[in-house]
Amino acid sequence: MIKRVMLLEDGTAEMKGITPSIGAALAALREAGWSVPTGMVVTTDSCRACCARPGELSDEMNEEIGNAIRQLEQQTGKLFGHADHPMLLHVQADSLVAPATAEACIIPYVGLNDDTVEGFARQTGNRVYALQCYLTEIQHYGHIKYGIAYPAAVQPIDAQRSSGEAELERSIAEWKQLIQKKSGHPFPQDVRLQLQAAIHGLSFSNPKEISVENLTSQQEPTAWPVFIHAVSQGKYSDLKGKGSVYTRNPATGEKGLIGDYLPAQSQSGMLHALSYLKRHDSERYTELETICTELEKRTGKVLEIAYTIDSASICLEHIRSASLSPAAAIKSAVDLVLEGVIQPEHALLRMDSEILAESRKQEIPEMKRLLEWADEIKEISILAKVEETADALQAKAWGADGIGLCVADVMFMSPHRKPFVQKMMLANTEEERRRGLERLLPMQQSDLEVLFEAMNGRPAAIQLFDFSRYELVPERGEGDQHGDQLHVDLSELYEMQLEAVFRAAVRCIREGLWVRPEILIPHVEHAQEMQDIRELADHVAAQVLGEERRHCIYKVGAVISSPRAALTASQIARYADFILFAGDELSESTPGCIPEEAEQREEDYATMLHTEPDPLRKLDIEGVGRLVEHAVAQSRLRKPHLKTVISGEHSRDVQSMAFIQQIGLDAVCVRPEHILWARVAAAQAVIRKAKEKQNTSEDEDISTIA
């Protein structure tokens, strides 16, 4: 029989498969003898079914929740929805990866309405406190259900002032009106409808708020389990204080409690640091510290915990995954691995591109260990795309496995070099052209020497001159005496660049460096073109390298940037040592329209689906992706060990990285600033693949047993 609802008293064995979660962690603490809130977990499958039936629960789910509620009533001595002895519930997302803000992951005090609030006031002996709780419930309900903005700051109301009642009653009425206006329905007075709405609102997260750790290949909205627990409802006069605590510093990630404490009898309503509790009630502080340590150990997460303290015990109001700075996210993940709480794979899955981007800016030292783990796991190389020598040095510093694309002609675009290029292009005679190329050769050579020195043993792919770069083509007016065409021979230009490559290689080899040059021919369309330039490269290498040829293992490859070239890649591969697929160019040319039209289509499609255009420019898997997959497969039929690389912005996307790995590409080529994230994303792709395989295996085992 499928269990849709599990009580904490059912134990951790019943909750296998929903960890890490608040409910499972508390169940484990309960088994160990700790005092924990009375509560239950609504499973992921149940929440998914609930989301499929908006506005109602199935009969089976209603029955199980009803049975669980009766169990909670027996344990608390209160009744859900009773006017005189109401049982109140905190309802929150249980996955620890749902939205981190307080408003977005909890609806507290479910069960309060216009009648039960008065019974709660009598229970606690403080109507102002009861009204504060009622207002909090309505505000969270309005925010989660209808997106009504939660107040940025709430001024505390003195629980001893009778005038506070009028202020709270006015705020409650205003929020009820906001909900009525926004939804067309009043705030529900039926507590069962409140609970149903809370489960629905908290179990179905918006895709934009989903953690990277739980992304699926389909990118569909994900249902989370929901944790529900009864609220401690002693006399308000028994309340000693309340506050919130982080299990580690959310700004730095340093281990140790940090938080605040508000004594119940505080007249000013001023929050104190947690050290106040330590000084005035060391026994309760030690108890809180132990609970936090145990919960963090069992969930494997840095937690934010809201708590209350009465004369007898500590009550945990709610628990959620803490919102951390990039530095804290990295340090805490690494430390939790070193402490044996989680595995390196778990730490890596917690990273996303924003965290890595910020860490790169801040140069966080802890990141080094995390990246070492990523490099041990990843199965593809991360290469850098560089356009100037400084990029090569940066790529080395950020751990690139080599240079996958050096756009050499960009190096000629500096103000003091560009005129020489243009003069050479406009030369009328071969002699003038040769002199122009001779001036450019040492410039190119010096750049490449820096490149080889930076890589020293790692591959460095240099792309030959790309005539599609109009920035280097001189402007030609009608009165220009040079005519309507440029007098430049492409083979002469290539010969100069090849000579620069091999001269730079020779010089670096003689300085004791290990040089691995790779020559990239841009925009190859035909096998004959590849063969001709390959022969030219071999000829120049033979002339320049001389005795050093045995120390310079160079390669010649093709850049494939059009659908036609991709479809004929197996023919091109006959003369190529490797192939680089220009992902951005293929993404622009495959749709059959100019880039501006493709971008507009994407925006129109996003508008139609009420979504945002994807800033990461994900790889079009079913279009460009399948084209590249076909090209790789066909090329390797001819050359089984052919090296294949893809460049482009989409390499920043986790799903794209998983597909790149799936089809057997050897490397991705990204801009230097994206190297750190690409290293982690490549490792994440391996980890997810292993998890999917494990899940499939488990499903098959279950199927066999059944």
Side-chain angles (χ1 to χ4, degrees):
M1 178 181 174
I2 298 173
K3 292 199 71 171
R4 298 172 178 84
V5 179
M6 293 178 289
L7 295 168
L8 295 189
E9 64 193 49
D10 291 339
T12 53
E14 287 286 343
M15 296 191 181
K16 184 180 179 182
I18 68 167
T19 55
S21 76
I22 299 163
L26 290 176
L29 288 182
R30 188 183 188 281
E31 284 187 339
W34 288 89
S35 174
V36 300
T38 302
M40 59 179 169
V41 173
V42 182
T43 66
T44 304
D45 288 341
S46 299
C47 291
R48 190 177 293 116
C50 171
C51 296
R53 299 165 60 105
E56 61 178 9
L57 302 179
S58 66
D59 293 340
E60 295 84 0
M61 192 168 173
N62 264 324
E63 182 181 357
E64 285 201 39
I65 289 178
N67 290 336
I69 291 292
R70 283 188 285 276
Q71 292 273 7
L72 299 189
E73 289 174 335
Q74 290 176 9
Q75 294 175 40
T76 62
K78 311 294 181 184
L79 299 174
F80 190 51
H82 195 279
D84 295 320
H85 306 284
M87 178 179 71
L88 307 183
L89 304 172
H90 282 342
V91 184
Q92 69 177 99
D94 190 43
S95 67
L96 288 173
V97 291
T101 56
E103 315 87 75
C105 65
I106 184 169
I107 299 180
Y109 307 109
V110 171
L112 283 179
N113 58 26
D114 293 349
D115 294 327
T116 59
V117 71
E118 302 301 339
F120 185 48
R122 289 189 291 273
Q123 282 180 15
T124 59
N126 191 303
R127 190 167 185 268
V128 170
Y129 174 69
L131 290 172
Q132 282 180 322
C133 294
Y134 190 21
L135 175 61
T136 301
E137 177 200 14
I138 295 172
Q139 288 173 330
H140 282 260
Y141 176 92
H143 177 78
I144 288 174
K145 281 291 288 180
Y146 305 114
I148 300 173
Y150 192 79
V154 179
Q155 293 298 323
I157 295 176
D158 190 346
Q160 309 303 318
R161 289 193 297 115
S162 59
S163 60
E165 294 184 18
E167 296 176 39
L168 287 164
E169 286 172 343
R170 184 165 56 251
S171 293
I172 289 168
E174 290 173 354
W175 268 85
K176 284 181 179 178
Q177 289 174 1
L178 282 173
I179 291 172
Q180 174 83 42
K181 183 178 179 181
K182 182 80 173 181
S183 67
H185 303 286
F187 173 76
Q189 293 297 304
D190 186 332
V191 297
R192 293 171 300 178
L193 293 179
Q194 291 181 10
L195 181 57
Q196 180 174 297
I199 293 172
H200 185 277
L202 289 164
S203 65
F204 209 39
S205 295
N206 187 300
K208 294 178 187 175
E209 297 170 327
I210 294 174
S211 163
V212 169
E213 184 172 349
N214 285 271
L215 284 172
T216 64
S217 58
Q218 290 80 21
Q219 280 295 105
E220 293 176 351
T222 301
W224 308 113
V226 170
F227 174 57
I228 302 169
H229 74 87
V231 180
S232 175
Q233 294 169 223
K235 286 286 185 182
Y236 186 81
S237 57
D238 293 333
L239 179 67
K240 296 183 68 175
K242 60 183 179 179
S244 63
V245 60
Y246 291 92
T247 56
R248 296 181 192 233
N249 190 313
T252 66
E254 291 293 331
K255 189 174 183 179
L257 301 190
I258 184 171
D260 55 55
Y261 179 68
L262 177 64
Q265 304 305 320
S266 172
Q267 297 297 315
S268 65
M270 182 180 72
L271 288 171
H272 296 270
L274 199 60
S275 56
Y276 181 94
L277 174 62
K278 188 175 184 179
R279 289 196 306 271
H280 290 81
D281 193 340
S282 60
E283 183 180 354
R284 288 289 173 265
Y285 177 85
T286 301
E287 184 181 350
L288 178 65
E289 187 175 44
T290 306
I291 289 173
C292 289
T293 300
E294 285 297 313
L295 278 172
E296 185 185 75
K297 181 179 178 181
R298 293 182 183 277
T299 60
K301 293 273 189 173
V302 180
L303 303 174
E304 181 185 1
I305 301 171
Y307 65 93
T308 59
I309 297 178
D310 59 30
S311 55
S313 64
I314 290 177
C315 177
L316 306 181
E317 290 289 304
H318 56 261
I319 308 165
R320 57 179 168 264
S321 184
S323 179
L324 305 174
S325 71
I330 291 172
K331 178 170 175 52
S332 62
V334 171
D335 287 350
L336 286 169
V337 173
L338 298 179
E339 292 164 21
V341 178
I342 62 174
Q343 296 298 314
E345 291 84 353
H346 299 139
L348 288 166
L349 286 175
R350 292 177 185 179
M351 300 298 110
D352 61 32
S353 57
E354 293 181 3
I355 291 175
L356 270 294
E358 282 300 314
S359 66
R360 173 175 52 80
K361 294 175 186 175
Q362 299 173 24
E363 298 182 353
I364 298 172
E366 279 313 319
M367 186 172 57
K368 183 175 183 292
R369 181 68 66 90
L370 196 75
L371 292 168
E372 288 173 353
W373 292 329
D375 290 341
E376 291 171 4
I377 294 171
K378 68 182 176 67
E379 295 178 352
I380 58 177
S381 298
I382 308 301
L383 306 175
K385 175 184 178 181
V386 304
E387 295 185 345
E388 53 187 49
T389 53
D391 290 342
L393 298 173
Q394 196 64 72
K396 179 183 179 182
W398 285 333
D401 294 312
I403 292 174
L405 175 60
C406 171
V407 189
D409 42 280
V410 175
M411 298 177 175
F412 289 129
M413 292 178 62
S414 62
H416 68 283
R417 290 187 178 183
K418 191 173 179 179
F420 288 101
V421 180
Q422 294 180 331
K423 186 175 181 180
M424 179 272 297
M425 287 181 169
L426 292 171
N428 284 317
T429 66
E430 181 181 351
E431 184 181 357
E432 288 179 5
R433 216 165 37 248
R434 285 286 181 187
R435 282 201 299 268
L437 289 169
E438 287 171 3
R439 293 191 186 99
L440 294 175
L441 192 150
M443 300 178 190
Q444 183 86 94
Q445 179 180 337
S446 64
D447 289 336
L448 297 178
E449 286 172 5
V450 174
L451 203 71
F452 293 146
E453 184 179 352
M455 290 298 101
N456 190 18
R458 299 174 185 176
I462 301 100
Q463 179 177 274
L464 300 181
F465 195 91
D466 180 1
F467 263 91
S468 69
R469 289 191 171 274
Y470 296 103
E471 301 95 327
L472 284 172
V473 178
E475 295 181 4
R476 287 164 293 161
E478 291 182 0
D480 196 322
Q481 62 178 357
H482 296 293
D484 295 330
Q485 62 181 12
L486 299 175
H487 302 285
V488 62
D489 188 320
L490 191 59
S491 63
E492 291 177 346
L493 186 54
Y494 281 177
E495 187 176 354
M496 179 276 291
Q497 288 188 291
L498 290 166
E499 186 175 349
V501 168
F502 295 121
R503 279 193 178 188
V506 168
R507 181 162 185 174
C508 290
I509 289 169
R510 288 173 180 171
E511 290 178 0
L513 300 177
W514 183 18
V515 179
R516 294 176 58 188
E518 296 184 345
I519 313 299
L520 266 174
I521 303 166
H523 308 301
V524 175
E525 291 290 335
H526 303 280
Q528 186 63 50
E529 176 187 1
M530 182 69 214
Q531 181 183 12
D532 291 344
I533 303 177
R534 172 74 199 233
E535 290 174 355
L536 176 63
D538 292 339
H539 173 71
V540 175
Q543 286 188 320
V544 176
L545 291 176
E547 295 181 359
E548 306 299 347
R549 184 160 189 171
R550 58 198 172 106
H551 300 297
C552 182
I553 310 300
Y554 68 91
K555 294 182 178 180
V556 182
V559 177
I560 289 183
S561 55
S562 73
R564 185 196 183 282
L567 291 171
T568 59
S570 62
Q571 299 173 28
I572 295 171
R574 290 179 61 186
Y575 307 102
D577 298 316
F578 67 102
I579 287 177
L580 182 139
F581 296 95
D584 291 342
E585 286 85 346
L586 283 170
S587 296
E588 291 173 353
S589 59
T590 301
C593 56
I594 61 174
E596 291 76 10
E597 290 177 348
E599 186 176 342
Q600 186 60 51
R601 285 184 187 180
E602 182 180 343
E603 291 179 2
D604 293 343
Y605 189 63
T607 301
M608 182 177 70
L609 296 180
H610 305 289
T611 60
E612 293 291 331
D614 185 3
L616 289 183
R617 294 186 64 186
K618 296 178 183 177
L619 181 68
D620 173 17
I621 290 175
E622 294 307 316
V624 176
R626 298 304 174 195
L627 185 65
V628 172
E629 181 180 24
H630 172 80
V632 171
Q634 293 300 310
S635 299
R636 285 187 176 154
L637 287 175
R638 185 178 294 275
K639 279 190 176 178
H641 302 293
L642 180 73
K643 175 182 173 182
T644 54
V645 184
I646 188 168
S647 67
E649 292 298 297
H650 52 263
S651 300
R652 297 161 57 196
D653 173 59
V654 178
Q655 291 176 313
S656 301
M657 191 69 80
F659 178 78
I660 287 167
Q661 175 183 291
Q662 175 189 326
I663 64 175
L665 286 163
D666 297 297
V668 296
C669 182
V670 300
R671 294 204 304 253
E673 60 267 30
H674 299 151
I675 288 171
L676 300 185
W677 169 237
R679 290 165 69 185
V680 171
Q684 287 182 350
V686 176
I687 297 166
R688 285 199 181 85
K689 182 180 179 181
K691 288 177 70 175
E692 289 171 4
K693 186 176 181 180
Q694 181 182 358
N695 292 339
T696 302
S697 177
E698 289 176 356
D699 290 344
E700 289 173 353
D701 291 343
I702 293 171
S703 176
T704 304
I705 293 169

